[in-house]
Amino acid sequence: TNSRQLIFWFSAKIFGGRSKFKKVVVRMIINIVLVMLPIGRFYCRRQGEFMKHTGKLFLLIFLAATNALFAEDTDRAETAAEVDLNLINSLEAVVVTGERSRKKVSESTVNVKVVGREKMAAAGDTSLYQALRNLTGVTPETNCQNCNFDGVRLNGLDSRYNQILIGGIPLVSPLAEVYFYQSFPESLIERIEIVKGGGSALYGGGAVAGIINIIPREPREDFAELSLQESLPGLSASETYLSFAMSRSSAHSADSDSTPLSMMAFGSLSYATPYDRNDDGFSETSRKRASSLGLTVRRGSLRDGKLEGLFLYNEDNRKGGDSFDRADHQAAVREGTSARNSTAAVRYERQFSDSFLADIYQAVSYMERNAYFGGAGERYSESYEYDGSDVWGAGELENAVKGYSSTTNPLTVTGADATWLFSPRLSLLTGTMFTYEYIDDRQNGATTRTIFDAWDAGAYIQADAKPVKFWNIVLGIRVDKHSEIEDPIYSPRASSLVSLGEKAKWRVSYASGFSAPRVYVEDFHLGVIAGESHKLINEAGLKPERSHSLTNDVTFDFDGMGIHWEPRVAGFYTRIEDAFSIESDSSSVNVRRNSDGLSVAGGEFEVVARKGGFSLTTGASLQKAEYDKEQIVYDDAGTQIIEKRLLKSPLVTGNAMLLYSWKSFSFSSDLVLHGPMKIFLEDPTSTPGRSEPGVYDTPIMAEWGARIAWSFFRERTSDYQLFTGVKNILDAYQKDLGTGATRDPAYVYGPAVPRTWYFGAKLKI
């Protein structure tokens, strides 16, 4: 009560003299925050001191930003007509990823998939991983039963072939990518742009399978937002997700020069308990706790240019295995990490004339990670009574504590772009980018240390021409010099858009890409089998992978039967030379070597149908990925397993999403088809129905979800919403999960969560 009175007194001093309505709104916000504090304290007790401090920080930012929002009375009449850039399935959304320049989706020479905040909300998505589920040719996957190491396949290729961008800048290192997709919350995302196919001609090494560009939230209007979602996986675990956002924008002002500064703060807190599907005492989804904070600042009218600043902080703590109340090395199996990632970027863009635009940027990402991969084995299983007085056997303690490690990983990116507009039909883009990465990894009580640094300097040029009204062609090339590669790397690119009348567009594109060798021994993952660390290292003299990607895409746009139709059919082919393969070199070391070439070919089909408040998007992708020659997957004690197909690459995937709104109610339903694929099982002793190591085929699995929401008290920019839904209604979940401490954690496939009920509320003013 005293705290409530103190805050009301403080807010009265801040908001004194304002309108009665705003005072009521402020009091309402404060009440909501105060109601949430006891809930926060409850979860904070289980999460540690850092969550308490983060919660206090969020509360201070919330109050400060609310003060900024209501500091002055402004005419908001025009905000009702503002363009919503997150409109679901809108072909007029402006994207930047495909050609590194602003273009409407329908005018881009390469196909760009866009996922906005409204679509994420309609599906109940709380992370980047979930937001990418319902896209044709995009397959999120879980790769570890213990810690839920994740990835995303584009056109069937492994996630190591993806280039992840934040605001168009490659700021996600290989180490940060290990848990990135699940740990990056939706609260930091304005929209996601995905381009499948090579993109090294614009963004550097790594863009072989495609590009995932995360556009952070931007200040576009004045609002404050608070959202809470509670999920119950399998009705035996729980996950709480709390997010907030506050924005103060000058975009709605008639005189933008008088208020050129725009700011936005946003963030989230989450906590998840572990889920044990088969009741063996070992988790299938790990215990997680995370916090995030973001800030974007935009300063316009600065010497005929604008200055943009971005800061993102993300903390992710997770533990998988068993015995969560014990020290890591006292669990039978433990895979756990505590990672903190800070990202900052500054960009200055200036329009020197009607025909010349330039921008420069400087960005840095710094990651710290403390991890444990290992365990004490069956000796300290869930059924064993540990009272602290047991005497460790010879070498047991020494082996158990070897799993601890700590890593620091700074990454810097510096670049500049210049665009010349010679005519409405011809423009030229030139740019340069310099990337430097440093890794310092200490393992096994600091007795083993790995230090590695690498740099890449690239320059690119791209011409965008429209020889005739119906034809747009883009040609470009990039040259890179990588510190680990002796010769320069040339990456050409070409794309074309032909308008076949007003109702059809034909896109053809070619791109060359490359992926440089990574020396860092944990750039892939540390798996645990029987409590031992399995490391991945690169063979000496490893050459870079080179790719050649070709896509052919036809999109239609017409009306029929009172419905607006947008069907699309596409084919793709990617050839990778000197492809990396992983081979077992010893009982605890896997080696990445150059192997024969790898090819993936396939096609996809999509249909979008819209009418009024109804929207249906459905699609399917068929692909086949295989090496030129059979690869050795397993070789031990005279037993050799070979396979030509690329493992964990699904033969077919499908997706559908239905959206319907009527007055204050909205309904959504989504379906994701997990197609058959080949997966390797190394240790079958704890896997039901398996008796020997081998490559097995997975079944087809359908992940179906639905959500209903009710909005009330809606006035222009305000929105109060209650919602509930179910994910994976059919409970399609892997049936042959491994059990016990000796299970093979890499033998995991299908949906990442079981049937999950969720509900929540959202407030926006």
Side-chain angles (χ1 to χ4, degrees):
T1 303
N2 292 335
S3 299
R4 186 185 300 270
Q5 292 174 349
L6 179 62
I7 294 178
F8 278 140
W9 175 85
F10 181 69
S11 63
K13 293 297 183 181
I14 295 177
F15 303 108
R18 308 305 175 190
S19 68
K20 182 178 179 180
F21 171 76
K22 292 183 177 179
K23 289 182 180 180
V24 171
V25 171
V26 171
R27 291 175 66 91
M28 180 182 62
I29 294 174
I30 294 173
N31 273 293
I32 292 173
V33 174
L34 291 173
V35 168
M36 294 306 302
L37 283 178
I39 300 176
R41 292 193 189 103
F42 171 73
Y43 287 108
C44 285
R45 290 193 206 99
R46 298 189 290 177
Q47 299 177 66
E49 289 297 324
F50 89 95
M51 291 291 280
K52 295 180 183 179
H53 297 313
T54 306
K56 294 176 182 178
L57 178 61
F58 282 6
L59 177 59
L60 290 175
I61 294 176
F62 194 92
L63 292 175
T66 306
N67 176 33
L69 289 177
F70 296 101
E72 59 179 305
D73 292 313
T74 56
D75 185 8
R76 300 295 303 277
E78 68 275 20
T79 60
E82 288 179 353
V83 177
D84 186 0
L85 296 181
N86 288 324
L87 288 177
I88 301 173
N89 297 319
S90 172
L91 285 179
E92 296 308 307
V94 177
V95 295
V96 296
T97 307
E99 301 169 11
R100 209 177 179 91
S101 60
R102 296 179 180 88
K103 277 191 176 183
K104 295 179 181 178
V105 173
S106 58
E107 297 176 356
S108 175
T109 58
V110 295
N111 186 266
V112 182
K113 291 295 182 184
V114 181
V115 180
R117 290 193 56 77
E118 290 191 4
K119 192 171 184 179
M120 288 186 282
D125 299 331
T126 59
S127 67
L128 174 65
Y129 182 92
Q130 297 175 9
L132 295 174
R133 289 182 312 111
N134 209 283
L135 294 171
T136 306
V138 181
T139 310
E141 62 182 7
T142 301
N143 295 308
C144 180
Q145 191 177 354
N146 290 328
C147 68
N148 309 139
F149 157 56
D150 52 44
V152 171
R153 290 181 178 269
L154 300 180
N155 286 345
L157 289 174
D158 190 272
S159 60
R160 72 172 183 266
Y161 293 117
N162 301 340
Q163 182 84 310
I164 304 177
L165 311 175
I166 297 179
I169 305 174
L171 282 170
V172 182
S173 69
L175 174 64
E177 189 180 344
V178 173
Y179 303 106
F180 182 81
Y181 295 99
Q182 286 195 41
S183 65
F184 200 85
E186 61 81 31
S187 61
L188 306 183
I189 303 173
E190 179 74 20
R191 69 181 186 276
I192 309 166
E193 298 178 2
I194 303 99
V195 175
K196 290 176 289 184
S200 292
L202 285 178
Y203 297 103
V208 173
I211 299 164
I212 300 174
N213 188 10
I214 303 168
I215 310 298
R217 301 189 69 174
E218 302 173 349
R220 298 188 181 278
E221 58 177 341
D222 293 353
F223 73 92
E225 181 180 276
L226 185 64
S227 178
L228 173 66
Q229 179 169 313
E230 183 73 21
S231 303
L232 304 173
L235 295 179
S236 61
S238 66
E239 180 177 357
T240 302
Y241 179 77
L242 174 67
S243 66
F244 77 96
M246 296 84 53
S247 175
R248 174 62 173 172
S249 174
S250 61
H252 64 275
S253 175
D255 183 9
S256 59
D257 290 336
S258 60
T259 55
L261 182 63
S262 300
M263 299 180 64
M264 184 173 185
F266 41 87
S268 63
L269 294 170
S270 63
Y271 180 87
T273 59
Y275 172 70
D276 183 1
R277 176 72 171 191
N278 47 24
D279 296 324
D280 64 341
F282 293 83
S283 65
E284 269 66 67
T285 63
S286 56
R287 188 189 77 178
K288 304 172 188 175
R289 58 191 187 191
S291 61
S292 67
L293 181 65
L295 179 67
T296 53
V297 181
R298 177 180 298 166
R299 175 70 160 84
S301 303
L302 193 64
R303 292 184 178 273
D304 297 324
K306 65 177 181 179
L307 181 68
E308 296 179 338
L310 168 68
F311 172 76
L312 299 176
Y313 174 80
N314 193 34
E315 182 163 354
D316 180 78
N317 294 266
R318 63 179 66 204
K319 287 187 178 183
D322 70 308
S323 306
F324 294 97
D325 58 339
R326 299 174 183 169
D328 290 338
H329 65 274
Q330 291 176 346
V333 171
R334 171 74 75 246
E335 290 197 32
T337 60
S338 176
R340 294 162 297 281
N341 199 348
S342 300
T343 300
V346 178
R347 180 189 295 268
Y348 178 67
E349 181 179 298
R350 183 175 178 182
Q351 184 85 39
F352 287 89
S353 66
D354 293 339
S355 60
F356 180 61
L357 172 68
D359 73 280
I360 59 174
Y361 54 89
Q362 174 66 57
V364 60
S365 174
Y366 183 80
M367 183 176 184
E368 295 179 291
R369 190 189 74 168
N370 295 317
Y372 182 83
F373 298 94
E378 293 285 4
R379 184 177 188 275
Y380 285 98
S381 64
E382 185 71 21
S383 60
Y384 188 89
E385 296 293 335
Y386 174 70
D387 59 8
S389 62
D390 296 342
V391 178
W392 289 82
E396 287 185 338
L397 178 61
E398 290 81 356
N399 288 330
V401 299
K402 286 182 179 180
Y404 289 100
S405 67
S406 62
T407 311
T408 57
N409 180 204
L411 170 69
T412 64
V413 181
T414 305
D417 291 335
T419 302
W420 285 269
L421 182 63
F422 298 107
S423 72
R425 292 189 175 185
L426 178 63
S427 65
L428 183 69
L429 168 70
T430 62
T432 181
M433 179 187 296
F434 180 82
T435 303
Y436 175 79
E437 181 183 359
Y438 177 85
I439 293 175
D440 186 352
D441 176 63
R442 300 171 183 261
Q443 298 183 67
N444 306 331
T447 60
T448 301
R449 185 176 184 183
T450 301
I451 297 178
F452 169 66
D453 65 342
W455 54 265
D456 179 275
Y460 47 88
I461 184 171
Q462 175 179 275
D464 187 337
K466 200 169 185 178
V468 291
K469 185 178 180 180
F470 59 86
W471 182 33
N472 187 190
I473 185 171
V474 175
L475 302 173
I477 188 171
R478 173 167 172 149
V479 182
D480 283 89
K481 180 62 182 74
H482 195 279
S483 60
E484 299 298 309
I485 302 173
E486 182 177 353
D487 298 324
I489 304 170
Y490 298 90
S491 302
R493 180 187 184 191
S495 57
S496 170
L497 171 65
V498 178
S499 297
L500 305 174
E502 298 181 354
K503 298 182 178 181
K505 295 182 183 296
W506 175 33
R507 294 179 175 90
V508 178
S509 65
Y510 162 80
S512 174
F514 75 95
S515 180
R518 297 165 176 175
V519 178
Y520 181 51
V521 296
E522 283 186 357
D523 66 343
F524 179 74
H525 181 51
L526 285 179
V528 174
I529 302 177
E532 297 180 356
S533 296
H534 283 232
K535 297 186 294 186
L536 177 69
I537 63 175
N538 294 319
E539 185 180 47
L542 189 70
K543 294 185 293 184
E545 296 176 299
R546 295 301 309 268
S547 71
H548 303 276
S549 178
L550 180 66
T551 61
N552 193 356
D553 181 298
V554 179
T555 304
F556 299 92
D557 189 339
F558 60 90
D559 295 322
M561 297 181 294
I563 300 174
H564 183 74
W565 300 90
E566 297 169 14
R568 185 179 75 89
V569 61
F572 56 87
Y573 174 80
T574 299
R575 168 73 181 172
I576 300 178
E577 300 171 350
D578 295 320
F580 296 151
S581 65
I582 301 172
E583 301 173 13
S584 178
D585 192 56
S586 68
S587 60
S588 61
V589 177
N590 294 319
V591 180
R592 180 188 282 115
R593 296 187 172 98
N594 289 117
S595 66
D596 300 295
L598 167 68
S599 299
V600 56
E604 59 186 38
F605 177 73
E606 281 185 323
V607 176
V608 178
R610 294 198 303 266
K611 181 179 181 180
F614 168 86
S615 173
L616 174 64
T617 303
T618 182
S621 178
L622 176 68
Q623 64 263 328
K624 185 177 182 180
E626 59 181 21
Y627 292 94
D628 294 344
K629 298 180 180 179
E630 293 180 327
Q631 304 297 304
I632 299 175
V633 178
Y634 179 81
D635 190 358
D636 183 58
T639 301
Q640 189 176 84
I641 299 174
I642 58 176
E643 179 59 47
K644 191 175 183 180
R645 285 273 303 275
L646 183 64
L647 297 180
K648 296 201 74 174
S649 179
L651 180 64
V652 60
T653 60
N655 60 280
M657 188 167 191
L658 170 68
L659 301 171
Y660 178 72
S661 61
W662 178 74
K663 296 184 178 180
S664 298
F665 291 90
S666 62
F667 172 79
S668 64
S669 182
D670 63 281
L671 177 68
V672 178
L673 184 68
H674 299 260
M677 62 185 181
K678 291 185 176 294
I679 185 172
F680 172 61
L681 173 63
E682 181 173 359
D683 188 349
T685 57
S686 301
T687 304
R690 307 299 186 196
S691 59
E692 58 185 18
V695 175
Y696 296 93
D697 292 315
T698 66
I700 298 176
M701 307 173 75
E703 183 180 1
W704 174 36
R707 177 183 184 269
I708 187 170
W710 175 49
S711 299
F712 53 98
F713 296 144
R714 303 183 70 174
E715 294 184 11
R716 289 183 293 188
T717 59
S718 65
D719 187 12
Y720 305 79
Q721 186 181 96
L722 298 176
F723 59 86
T724 185
V726 188
K727 297 181 179 180
N728 198 357
I729 296 175
L730 302 178
D731 200 24
Y733 205 70
Q734 183 177 345
K735 298 183 182 301
D736 57 347
L737 287 165
T739 60
T742 59
R743 66 186 183 181
D744 186 346
Y747 185 73
V748 58
Y749 59 86
V753 296
R755 181 187 294 118
T756 300
W757 298 84
Y758 66 92
F759 56 91
K762 180 180 178 181
L763 164 66
K764 180 180 179 181
I765 57 174

